[in-house]
Amino acid sequence: MVTQAIYDFRHEASSIFREETDLPQDVGEDITREALDNMGMARIPVRLYGKIDYKRARYIFHPEYSLKQALFVDSKAEDVAGQRTATLQMAQTSMRVRQIRSGQPHDVPGTLPTVLRREDDNYLTTTVFVKYNYQSEQDTTHTRNCLVNIVMASLPNGMLQERYNPNTQETIWLAGRNAPTRGEPFRVRLAFDRLKAKAAWRVQRIELWPSERFAWAG
């Protein structure tokens, strides 16, 4: 659903990125919000909280059952040189981060619950990241940001820990851009290629420039 919403909004997204003078991160958040609002969904009138841009309680309907979902969609924007990863805070995942960092093993729990309890109901937590990768161009008046591609990554729920990150050697993570010596909170980078190797459908890429290409990876 998130991929379809962003794909349908891709031309507007490209134009907004080129014309807006706000910070790319702020522009990305606005694009994600507008694209998902345009798509629409079966919403549940329950407020969600968390350090994620777009939050919705919603229904998912299957032939045999319906499911209440806490959908969290976070936007990232970065120069195209960093297009292979997305940086996460631990409040944005229900998984544990098991990895080797500076030669030492780490096993750090995410603080987002696997199932969110709100108003006496349970909501399955689902986190999706939308990464806007751009290239800056300088014209006679100011810098324009050309949107090169957009990557959607569906992060596994913590219930699937043993399938995606059972130990420090078999991991989908890279070291985050935080400095423990300066007391900065633990962060981690999700490696798109590692997640895609585990489940191809979890990472989708929409190419926008210099040519427009998209094929569902599954």
Side-chain angles (χ1 to χ4, degrees):
M1 185 198 72
V2 175
T3 298
Q4 186 68 60
I6 298 297
Y7 180 78
D8 289 346
F9 202 70
R10 66 194 185 283
H11 294 136
E12 291 89 340
S14 183
S15 177
I16 291 169
F17 245 88
R18 286 189 64 84
E19 300 304 323
E20 278 283 0
T21 57
D22 290 343
L23 293 174
Q25 176 64 34
D26 295 337
V27 175
E29 292 173 11
D30 289 343
I31 290 172
T32 298
R33 189 175 299 109
E34 189 167 350
L36 289 172
D37 284 345
N38 285 348
M39 167 66 72
M41 61 185 72
R43 297 185 183 185
I44 303 172
V46 171
R47 182 176 295 276
L48 302 180
Y49 301 93
K51 294 184 177 180
I52 295 182
D53 306 330
Y54 187 92
K55 302 174 281 289
R56 289 290 183 272
R58 63 185 290 259
Y59 284 107
I60 297 177
F61 296 104
H62 289 263
E64 295 84 12
Y65 62 90
S66 65
L67 175 72
K68 291 182 178 180
Q69 179 190 55
L71 175 64
F72 295 95
V73 184
D74 199 64
S75 304
K76 312 288 183 181
E78 193 174 1
D79 183 272
V80 70
Q83 65 181 313
R84 294 179 175 84
T85 65
T87 300
L88 282 64
Q89 303 176 49
M90 297 311 295
Q92 296 177 324
T93 179
S94 60
M95 294 187 71
R96 305 185 71 89
V97 171
R98 293 169 175 166
Q99 63 175 182
I100 301 293
R101 186 178 292 197
S102 300
Q104 298 298 316
H106 288 264
D107 188 342
V108 181
T111 60
L112 195 66
T114 56
V115 176
L116 197 63
R117 184 76 173 171
R118 284 289 182 272
E119 299 182 7
D120 297 325
D121 277 321
N122 291 322
Y123 295 82
L124 180 66
T125 302
T126 302
T127 309
V128 179
F129 293 93
V130 182
K131 178 74 180 294
Y132 297 92
N133 300 300
Y134 63 89
Q135 181 174 299
S136 297
E137 299 175 344
Q138 183 69 44
D139 62 19
T140 55
T141 57
H142 63 280
T143 300
R144 294 181 181 273
N145 294 319
C146 179
L147 196 55
V148 177
N149 60 60
I150 309 172
V151 177
M152 282 63 58
S154 178
L155 189 63
N157 185 283
M159 295 180 186
L160 302 175
Q161 182 75 45
E162 297 307 310
R163 182 183 303 178
Y164 287 92
N165 181 209
N167 53 60
T168 58
Q169 303 299 322
E170 189 176 347
T171 185
I172 58 176
W173 311 108
L174 295 172
R177 298 184 180 96
N178 63 287
T181 55
R182 294 203 295 265
E184 293 179 354
F186 187 89
R187 294 195 177 198
V188 68
R189 284 183 296 155
L190 173 64
F192 295 142
D193 58 345
R194 294 184 180 185
L195 179 57
K196 193 177 183 71
K198 292 281 188 179
W201 67 267
R202 285 190 177 272
V203 180
Q204 305 294 331
R205 181 187 299 268
I206 300 171
E207 299 290 348
L208 295 172
W209 185 89
S211 62
E212 186 178 309
R213 300 190 312 275
F214 176 71
W216 179 265

